[in-house]
Amino acid sequence: MKNNTIPRYRRSRVHLWLPLALAASLAACGGGSSPGASAGPTQVATFIDSPVEGLTFRSAKRSGLTDRNGNFPYTPGETVTFSIGNIVLGSVKPNGDKVTPLQLVPGAANATDARVTRILRTLQSLDSDGNLENGIQITAWAREIASLKTKIRLDDNKITDDEVKQRLPSGDYTRTAEDARKHYEDHAGDKSNGYLGYNNSGSGTGTPVAQPADTTGRLLASNCFQCHGTLGRGGFDNIRGGEAGEVREYLSKIASSDIMAAHAQGYTRAQLDAIVTYLNQP
Amino acid sequence: MTQQHNLLARRRWLMLAGASTITALVPTIGWTDDEGDEDDSGSSTTAITPAATGLTGKMVVVGGGMAGVTAAKYLRLWGGSGLTITLVEPATTYVSNIMSNLVLNGSRTVTSLGYTHGNLSSKYGVNIVRASVTGIDKSARMITLSDGTQLPYDRLVLAPGVEFEDAYGLTQADYETRTPHAWRAGTQTQLLRDQLAAMSNGSTFVMTIPKAPYRCPPGPYERACLVADYLKTTKGTGSKVIVLDENLPTDPANPYSAIQAEAHTFTQAFSVIHAGVVDYQPGVTGIQIDPVTKAVSYTDRMGVARTVSAQVVNPIPPHRATGSSAGGWLTQAGLANSTNGKWAVVNVLSFESTAAGATGVHVIGDASQCGLPKAGHVANQEAKICADAIVRLLGGQQPAPAPVANSACYSPITATTASWLTAVYQYEGGVFKVANGGGVTAGAKPVESSSINSKNFQQMNTWFNTLMGDSFA
C-alpha cells in the first residue's frame, strides 16, 4: 500500500521476469537439462495434429514443453517420448521437421487405428480454447489433471477409452472419433513451424495484441467474449478480423435449435452492425 | 482454501518479499505448476495492449470471483496502463461454482475448478491484497481491511458475492459439517460428494430450493438431475431425490411452472428422463431439518404437514449480499439498500450504488440488485458494463446510454447430456429487459434448447473454458 502513487502496471511487467526466471531454473533442476545445453547438434521439429503447445517431450538428454508453435528440439537418432501428465502418447525417433500422432504408434497404418484415434481425441479434447484452427493448447491444468492417476500409454493396445477419459478434466472426450480423424487428416500435411526455432522461454511475452482503435461498439462486442474469448480470439470461433459478419446468418435460424441463433436474435440490426464493425477493425 | 494452501501462500509472500522490496505485487504464475493444486485457466499467454487513454486514478476492486476479476481485467484493458488497480480478496484460489455440480457425480474434482489471480497480477498489473473488507468510509473514499490497513480509492467496485442465512433450523456449522449447501463451491462440495458416494440403494436424498432471487436460477434443478442420474446409475433404481422448492407454481394446474429457469427442459427431465427418482414438490413452506437424524419436515402446497427421513440432506438456504446482515460492513456503509436490506441497489447504466452519498461506489455480481439473474456469466458482463462506465466517467463522459447484457449457460441433465439457456437483455426505461426477434422486448423470454443431448454437453466445456478465460486469463 506504500506505493500507490507509482503506476503499478509498468512496474509489474518488469518484475514479472523475476519469478518466471526462478521457475525456469527450478524446472531445470527437477527434470533433465535445459534444451540446447550440451545435447549435441539440435534440430527443431513441430508436433502437428494442429501444432500442439504444452506437450511434454522427453529424451535421454533433455525434456521440456512444446512451444507456442508446437516446436521441440531434438538430436537426430534419439528417441523422444511425448506425454501430458501421466498420459504418455508414445515415442518416436524424429526425422525431419515434423512429428505426427501416427508416427507414435508402431505398425499403425492410418488414423483409424484405435490407438491413433485415442491420441487424436485426447489432444483435441484438451485444446483449452476449443478452437483447433489456432493450434492445440494444452494447459498446466490439463497436465495436472492427467497426473492425478497412474501412468498409461496410448500406444498400448490394452488401454481402453474409459481409462483415458478418467484422466481428462471433463471426464470424457469432447471430440468424436470421426471429427478427430477428420481434423487430423485435414492437417497432417500442414507445413512445419520448425524454421521458427524452439523458444519456450518467452511464454506470455509474445507480441502483444492490439485492441481495435475505434472504441465504438466495444462494450456491445464484449457480450461476445464469454464464448468467443477476450477480443473475440478463441472459444467457439475466432470472430476478430473479418469473421464477425457471419453472425447475420443466424438471424434466420430457429432460436431454440441453435444457441448462437437464440443469442444473435436478441440484438437489433444496428447493434449487430456496430459489433461487426468493431471486431473487423485491425 | 485449506490450511496448507494458506501456508503456501504465505511462503510465496515471504519468497517475494525476500527477492524484492515490493510487497503488494504477487505474481504467482511461476509457482502454480510446482504446487500442483491450481489452475491459471485458459491457454492465452498472449498479452493485450491496454488502451492508450491517459487516464489515472486509484481503482479498488473487492472480491476475486467472476465479477471482480473481470472488472479488474477490463479496467486495465479499457482504462489503460495509468490506472492503479488493486484487487482485495482473502482466498488464494477461487473455486468455480459453474460446473461444480459435476463434482457430485464424480465427473470433476474440486481441484479442477480452482482458479488463481496469477494472470491478473502478471498480465494485467493488478495488485492483489490478501485481506477482506471491514469498513467503507464513503465520504473519505477509503476502505479499511481486516489487517487494519486503509486503502484509498477514486472508484470502488464491490463484488463480494453472497452469504447464506441460518435457515430451516440449521447453523453455519451444520452447513460446514453435516448438511452442506454446497452453493459456494469448495469444501462443502466435496462433503456433499462424499455423502452421496456413501448412499445406499433405496435411500432418500432431499434438497431444498429457496425463494428467488438466488444464485444460478437453473442450478438447483440441474443438481437434482445429476444426483438422480448418479444414484440410479451407480446405486440402483430404488433411490429417491425429493426436491422441496419454496417457489410457487405460476399455473396452479402445473406444478412444474414453479421452476425458475429452463422450465421446458426440467419438466422433461423430472417427468420423463428421471421419472420415478425425482419427486418435485413446489410451493412448500415451513421446512425444518434435523441435522443429526436427517429428518425433514415441511408443509406441502396443499397445506398437509409431512416428514421424510433422508440419508443425505442438501439445503440451499436463502442468500443475501455478503456483508448485508445486521452489523455487516455493507449494511454499515448504507449500501444494502434494497427493500428487504439484503441487496445493493444500483443504477444499471454504471452499476453505481443508488445509496445516498455513494458516488464512486459500484456493486456488481450476485450482491447487486440490478434486474439481471445472479450468475457467473452474467456477472462477467455486469463487470464490463461497470468498467466501461468507470472509464467513461474518469474521462469526463457519461456512461453508455443503452448497455446490453447477456446470459448463457449449459446445464448437464445426465453425466453425458446437457441443455442450454440464453438471454440478451436490452436497456429500456431504466431497466434491463429480455429481448428476442431482433432486439424486441415485448413478450420476449430467455431461449432454452429444444433438446437435451451430448453435443450440448461437449459445447458446455468450450463455453466454460472460454468464460473462465475471459474472466481469469
Side-chain angles (χ1 to χ4, degrees), chain B residues 55-137:
Chain B
L55 297 173
T56 58
K58 292 188 277 293
M59 308 294 116
V60 175
V61 180
V62 172
M66 300 297 288
V69 297
T70 307
K73 170 176 169 175
Y74 278 86
L75 278 169
R76 174 66 72 217
L77 288 183
W78 294 348
S81 55
L83 299 182
T84 301
I85 305 173
T86 303
L87 181 84
V88 178
E89 166 60 57
T92 54
T93 303
Y94 170 75
V95 181
S96 172
N97 292 307
I98 301 176
M99 306 294 260
S100 67
N101 278 335
L102 287 168
V103 173
L104 303 181
N105 69 358
S107 296
R108 277 191 176 259
T109 61
V110 171
T111 307
S112 80
L113 297 172
Y115 292 81
T116 72
H117 307 108
N119 284 318
L120 277 188
S121 57
S122 66
K123 286 174 67 179
Y124 302 107
V126 173
N127 312 308
I128 313 289
V129 175
R130 296 290 178 213
S132 35
V133 173
T134 56
I136 300 173
D137 184 338

Side-chain angles (χ1 to χ4, degrees), chain B residues 74-319:
Chain B
Y74 278 86
L75 278 169
R76 174 66 72 217
L77 288 183
W78 294 348
S81 55
L83 299 182
T84 301
I85 305 173
T86 303
L87 181 84
V88 178
E89 166 60 57
T92 54
T93 303
Y94 170 75
V95 181
S96 172
N97 292 307
I98 301 176
M99 306 294 260
S100 67
N101 278 335
L102 287 168
V103 173
L104 303 181
N105 69 358
S107 296
R108 277 191 176 259
T109 61
V110 171
T111 307
S112 80
L113 297 172
Y115 292 81
T116 72
H117 307 108
N119 284 318
L120 277 188
S121 57
S122 66
K123 286 174 67 179
Y124 302 107
V126 173
N127 312 308
I128 313 289
V129 175
R130 296 290 178 213
S132 35
V133 173
T134 56
I136 300 173
D137 184 338
K138 300 193 303 257
S139 54
R141 295 204 171 193
M142 186 88 80
I143 66 171
T144 304
L145 304 180
S146 48
D147 61 8
T149 57
Q150 293 195 308
L151 200 53
Y153 65 82
D154 295 311
R155 289 277 160 182
L156 175 64
V157 179
L158 300 174
V162 296
E163 59 190 34
F164 299 89
E165 301 187 85
D166 289 354
Y168 316 133
L170 303 174
T171 64
Q172 301 298 314
D174 292 324
Y175 300 145
E176 289 296 331
T177 58
R178 300 193 283 202
T179 50
H181 56 68
W183 213 240
R184 177 189 294 127
T187 52
Q188 287 192 32
T189 314
Q190 189 59 49
L191 175 59
L192 186 56
R193 160 66 186 160
D194 293 343
Q195 291 181 346
L196 281 163
M199 278 181 76
S200 45
N201 190 23
S203 55
T204 300
F205 173 89
V206 174
M207 63 178 289
T208 70
I209 305 174
K211 280 202 163 148
Y214 57 85
R215 165 183 281 170
C216 187
Y221 309 98
E222 168 189 297
R223 175 175 291 180
C225 289
L226 285 172
V227 170
D229 184 60
Y230 171 73
L231 293 178
K232 73 185 178 194
T233 54
T234 62
K235 310 287 181 187
T237 52
S239 304
K240 279 264 179 278
V241 173
I242 299 178
V243 182
L244 303 179
D245 193 341
E246 292 188 320
N247 293 287
L248 284 165
T250 51
D251 171 5
N254 174 13
Y256 297 117
S257 66
I259 291 172
Q260 295 296 301
E262 298 184 64
H264 166 81
T265 295
F266 290 113
T267 298
Q268 167 86 1
F270 291 171
S271 62
V272 180
I273 299 169
H274 301 306
V277 181
V278 172
D279 175 4
Y280 177 66
Q281 303 205 22
V284 306
T285 56
I287 297 170
Q288 282 293 310
I289 296 167
D290 184 322
V292 179
T293 65
K294 309 284 173 76
V296 181
S297 59
Y298 62 97
T299 303
D300 73 14
R301 77 179 189 286
M302 311 310 285
V304 180
R306 297 187 181 277
T307 300
V308 290
S309 178
Q311 191 170 352
V312 175
V313 182
N314 171 220
I316 301 173
H319 345 331

Side-chain angles (χ1 to χ4, degrees), chain B residues 284-461:
Chain B
V284 306
T285 56
I287 297 170
Q288 282 293 310
I289 296 167
D290 184 322
V292 179
T293 65
K294 309 284 173 76
V296 181
S297 59
Y298 62 97
T299 303
D300 73 14
R301 77 179 189 286
M302 311 310 285
V304 180
R306 297 187 181 277
T307 300
V308 290
S309 178
Q311 191 170 352
V312 175
V313 182
N314 171 220
I316 301 173
H319 345 331
R320 61 193 309 153
T322 296
S324 74
S325 49
W329 58 268
L330 196 71
T331 303
Q332 294 210 326
L335 296 168
N337 61 338
S338 67
T339 312
N340 61 11
K342 292 185 177 186
W343 313 106
V345 184
V346 296
N347 171 353
V348 298
L349 291 179
S350 60
F351 283 82
E352 197 163 10
S353 166
T354 60
T359 307
V361 181
H362 305 251
V363 187
I364 57 176
D366 294 349
S368 75
Q369 179 175 304
C370 62
L372 296 171
K374 299 186 186 303
H377 183 111
V378 180
N380 168 296
Q381 194 60 35
E382 291 175 17
K384 291 169 182 165
I385 294 170
C386 177
D388 181 79
I390 287 174
V391 169
R392 289 178 196 242
L393 289 164
L394 290 173
Q397 302 168 18
Q398 288 303 300
V404 173
N406 85 90
S407 169
C409 72
Y410 288 80
S411 300
I413 304 299
T414 69
T416 56
T417 63
S419 64
W420 53 257
L421 175 73
T422 187
V424 172
Y425 299 89
Q426 296 279 352
Y427 179 82
E428 210 174 86
V431 295
F432 282 119
K433 292 182 179 174
V434 177
N436 304 142
V440 180
T441 58
K445 288 184 188 151
V447 183
E448 56 181 297
S449 57
S450 55
S451 68
I452 297 163
N453 57 46
S454 57
K455 183 179 156 220
N456 291 339
F457 196 92
Q458 290 185 13
Q459 290 189 346
M460 175 172 70
N461 291 307

Side-chain angles (χ1 to χ4, degrees), chain A residues 154-174:
Chain A
L154 301 188
D155 58 358
D156 180 345
N157 257 326
K158 294 188 288 291
I159 291 298
T160 64
D161 282 326
D162 280 344
E163 288 172 279
V164 183
K165 290 174 185 176
Q166 288 167 13
R167 289 162 175 80
L168 304 180
S170 61
D172 199 355
Y173 297 122
T174 60

Side-chain angles (χ1 to χ4, degrees), chain A residues 51-226:
Chain A
V52 182
E53 174 186 358
L55 200 57
T56 301
F57 61 87
R58 188 179 297 274
S59 70
K61 291 177 180 164
R62 64 182 123 216
S63 65
L65 296 173
T66 55
D67 70 8
R68 68 175 57 210
N69 296 309
N71 288 351
F72 64 94
Y74 73 96
T75 306
E78 69 177 358
T79 299
V80 181
T81 300
F82 296 91
S83 56
I84 300 161
N86 278 344
I87 305 175
V88 179
L89 306 189
S91 304
V92 67
K93 283 184 184 171
N95 178 17
D97 61 3
K98 261 167 66 173
V99 164
T100 71
L102 184 60
Q103 293 172 269
L104 301 182
V105 180
N110 54 49
T112 60
D113 183 288
R115 295 165 295 178
V116 179
T117 303
R118 249 173 235 126
I119 295 175
L120 298 174
R121 292 182 81 184
T122 300
L123 286 169
Q124 294 175 27
S125 296
L126 289 175
D127 181 21
S128 66
D129 67 359
N131 178 10
L132 300 174
E133 300 307 314
N134 66 3
I136 292 171
Q137 292 86 24
I138 311 276
T139 61
W141 172 43
R143 293 192 293 272
E144 184 181 309
I145 298 294
S147 302
L148 296 178
K149 292 196 189 298
T150 53
K151 189 168 278 192
I152 54 170
R153 288 193 70 104
L154 301 188
D155 58 358
D156 180 345
N157 257 326
K158 294 188 288 291
I159 291 298
T160 64
D161 282 326
D162 280 344
E163 288 172 279
V164 183
K165 290 174 185 176
Q166 288 167 13
R167 289 162 175 80
L168 304 180
S170 61
D172 199 355
Y173 297 122
T174 60
R175 296 276 293 172
T176 65
E178 195 178 55
D179 287 350
R181 285 193 291 259
K182 169 131 190 12
H183 177 82
Y184 169 74
E185 280 153 13
D186 288 349
H187 289 271
D190 284 4
K191 205 163 123 297
S192 166
N193 289 324
Y195 69 95
L196 294 169
Y198 176 75
N199 179 9
N200 212 21
S201 60
S203 184
T205 60
T207 310
V209 174
Q211 301 182 63
D214 185 343
T215 61
T216 309
R218 184 174 69 184
L219 179 58
L220 270 174
S222 72
N223 279 289
C224 310
F225 299 171
Q226 289 100 332

